Amino acid sequence: MKKITIFLLLLLVARWVDGQDLHPIATITGFKGQVAVDAIGNVYSFKGFEVFKYDSNGHQVAKFSTHHYGMITGIDVTDPFKILVVFGPFHWVLI
């Protein structure tokens, strides 16, 4: 009986406790392809031969494009001050 009472009490408390309210801090339109976000809040979108960088407010601040190494297949934004761009089937990395 004690376990049931504790369980019902936890259910009652869980009903009143709200989690975090999720709401967008910015809306960025026109994404093409895949998206990555760094620790500072910058958003990177890439597709084909181009990488677009958006600040935390959703404004485009940079664009990178090259055809020399092939298509972009991935980016690593773990270090926001040294973005790694991975190219094509040969897995070339550009820093």
Side-chain angles (χ1 to χ4, degrees), residues 63-84:
K63 176 184 171 184
F64 172 77
S65 177
T66 183
H67 292 273
H68 295 290
Y69 306 106
M71 292 192 60
I72 298 171
T73 57
I75 55 175
D76 179 10
V77 296
T78 305
D79 181 359
F81 302 106
K82 188 186 289 184
I83 306 302
L84 303 177

Side-chain angles (χ1 to χ4, degrees), residues 34-72:
Q34 298 181 3
V35 176
V37 180
D38 66 13
I40 301 174
N42 295 319
V43 180
Y44 300 84
S45 170
F46 68 94
K47 183 176 181 181
F49 301 98
E50 297 179 321
V51 177
F52 299 94
K53 179 181 178 181
Y54 300 88
D55 63 9
S56 58
N57 296 323
H59 300 103
Q60 183 176 336
V61 293
K63 176 184 171 184
F64 172 77
S65 177
T66 183
H67 292 273
H68 295 290
Y69 306 106
M71 292 192 60
I72 298 171

Side-chain angles (χ1 to χ4, degrees), residues 6-46:
I6 292 173
F7 178 73
L8 290 175
L9 181 63
L10 287 174
L11 282 178
L12 186 62
V13 169
R15 179 168 162 67
W16 284 311
V17 175
D18 287 331
Q20 296 177 345
D21 290 332
L22 299 177
H23 59 282
I25 57 172
T27 302
I28 304 171
T29 59
F31 274 134
K32 302 174 181 94
Q34 298 181 3
V35 176
V37 180
D38 66 13
I40 301 174
N42 295 319
V43 180
Y44 300 84
S45 170
F46 68 94

